[in-house]
Amino acid sequence: MKFTKMQGIGNDYVYVNCFQETVEHPGEVAKLVSDRHFGIGSDGLILIKPSDVADFEMDMYNSDGSRGAMCGNGIRCVAKYVYDYGLTDKTSITVNTASGIKYLDLTIEDGKAVQIRVNMGAPILEPFKIPVISEKEIVLDEPILADGKEYRITAVSMGNPHAVTYIDDVKGLDIEKIGPQFEHHPIFPDRVNAEFVKVLDRHTVEMRVWERGAGETLACGTGACAVAVASILNGLTEDEVTVKLLGGDLKIYWDRKENLVYMTGPAEVVFDGEIKLPDFK
C-alpha cells in the first residue's frame, strides 16, 4: 500500500490515495500503521476517496481502529494532498466527511498549498446531538465528577463531541490519568474528546487535548474550534481566538451572525512510502 504521512501542527495521519489504492479492513490497517514502534507511526489513517456529493471524501480512522467523524487538522492535510499531488487545480474545494461537507480555501505558494482555511460549519450545542446526557438546553460551565474531583465543562460538538474544561496549569496536567476519566465518563454515551484550557488573554488560549480513540495528541482542529466556541460562550475571549496547542497555533473565528466557525492553519507532508500489509481475516 502506497501512502503519504502528513501532519497539521503535529497531528499526524497516514494518508492513502484511494483513487489509486483499495484499502480493505481499514480499521485493522489504521491500528497497524499508527503503531509508532512496529508501524509507520500516526494518530490514525485517512483515506482520500472520490465523492458523488463533493470534490473529495475523507474517510478517517483513529489509532485504535475506531472510525472518526471529523478531524480539522486531518482535513487541512487532505486539501494539501489533493492540490500538491495533482488531484485538483482548484484553490477552493469541498470535502465530504462523516459529519457533513466542509468547504476549504487554499493559500498557494510556489505551487504548494501552505495554509488552509476550513469552514467547519455551525457548532452543535444541543446536548442530545453532541451527545451528552443533560437536562439543560446547553451544557455551559456545568459540574462533573472525574477521578474524585469536580470539574466544570462546556460541551460542544464540531462533528464530534468535546468537553472543554478551564484549569490554571495546562503544562503540569497529568492528562494520561484524567483524560481517560473524561473520555469514558458515563454522561458521554459516544465517549468524548477532552480539552483542558488556560485563557491567556481575550484573544489567546492554550490547550491540551485527550482524543477519544487516540489519547493525547499534539493538536486537534475540531477541539480548537470547540475551545474557541466554549471560550466565547463563557465570556472569556473575543470572537477571534488564537489557540495554542502543543504542536503549534490555529486561528479560530466564530462568525456568530452566520453561525459558522472558521479554522486556519498549516499542513505539511512528512514523507511518502510504501508498506506491505498482512492478510487480515
Side-chain angles (χ1 to χ4, degrees):
M1 179 185 78
K2 293 181 179 179
F3 68 88
T4 299
K5 179 168 173 172
M6 304 182 74
Q7 59 92 5
I9 61 169
N11 200 187
D12 59 339
Y13 285 86
V14 171
Y15 292 78
V16 179
N17 178 356
C18 290
F19 287 77
Q20 299 176 350
E21 299 272 347
T22 299
V23 179
E24 298 180 356
H25 309 287
E28 294 299 318
V29 174
K31 289 191 286 186
L32 173 70
V33 301
S34 298
D35 191 292
R36 298 187 185 276
H37 300 287
F38 297 102
I40 298 163
S42 69
D43 292 324
L45 171 73
I46 291 181
L47 309 179
I48 302 172
K49 296 180 174 181
S51 172
D52 294 330
V53 296
D55 294 318
F56 302 96
E57 178 179 330
M58 180 178 88
D59 186 14
M60 69 164 291
Y61 296 83
N62 298 310
S63 58
D64 68 353
S66 62
R67 196 168 187 181
M70 175 58 191
C71 174
N73 293 312
I75 201 171
R76 290 201 318 278
C77 290
V78 168
K80 179 176 177 61
Y81 184 98
V82 298
Y83 188 89
D84 288 9
Y85 287 78
L87 298 184
T88 185
D89 59 2
K90 298 196 296 185
T91 56
S92 293
I93 65 169
T94 56
V95 178
N96 190 35
T97 74
S99 62
I101 296 174
K102 306 301 178 187
Y103 301 83
L104 299 89
D105 295 303
L106 289 64
T107 298
I108 308 301
E109 293 180 5
D110 299 323
K112 304 289 185 182
V114 293
Q115 286 275 329
I116 296 93
R117 184 178 193 243
V118 188
N119 178 346
M120 298 289 285
I124 297 167
L125 302 175
E126 298 94 328
F128 75 97
K129 291 182 180 179
I130 291 174
V132 54
I133 298 170
S134 174
E135 298 299 321
K136 301 290 184 70
E137 289 189 9
I138 65 172
V139 177
L140 181 67
D141 193 36
E142 292 292 328
I144 68 166
L145 283 175
D147 195 34
K149 180 180 175 182
E150 182 180 285
Y151 294 85
R152 304 192 74 86
I153 65 164
T154 296
V156 181
S157 174
M158 292 300 308
N160 45 19
H162 296 273
V164 180
T165 300
Y166 296 93
I167 61 175
D168 294 329
D169 182 12
V170 170
K171 294 182 175 65
L173 176 69
D174 187 356
I175 199 169
E176 295 287 339
K177 180 179 180 182
I178 192 62
Q181 299 276 336
F182 272 69
E183 178 183 355
H184 298 285
H185 197 285
I187 68 167
F188 302 112
D190 291 340
R191 297 184 295 167
V192 78
N193 302 281
E195 285 79 28
F196 302 92
V197 184
K198 181 178 181 179
V199 178
L200 301 181
D201 57 46
R202 295 288 299 175
H203 296 278
T204 317
V205 301
E206 66 174 341
M207 63 171 269
R208 288 173 68 186
V209 57
W210 180 271
E211 293 196 57
R212 60 175 182 173
E216 184 176 25
T217 60
L218 295 180
C220 175
T222 58
C225 293
V227 163
V229 169
S231 300
I232 295 161
L233 289 174
N234 282 286
L236 300 172
T237 67
E238 304 300 325
D239 292 358
E240 190 161 13
V241 185
T242 295
V243 181
K244 305 181 79 65
L245 304 103
L246 293 180
D249 296 353
L250 291 173
K251 291 191 178 297
I252 312 296
Y253 171 56
W254 184 14
D255 182 341
R256 288 202 268 178
K257 183 177 180 181
E258 299 293 332
N259 195 28
L260 296 171
V261 178
Y262 294 90
M263 173 191 62
T264 303
E268 295 184 1
V269 172
V270 181
F271 60 85
D272 297 302
E274 188 168 356
I275 186 171
K276 181 175 175 57
L277 299 176
D279 184 16
F280 295 110
K281 292 182 179 179

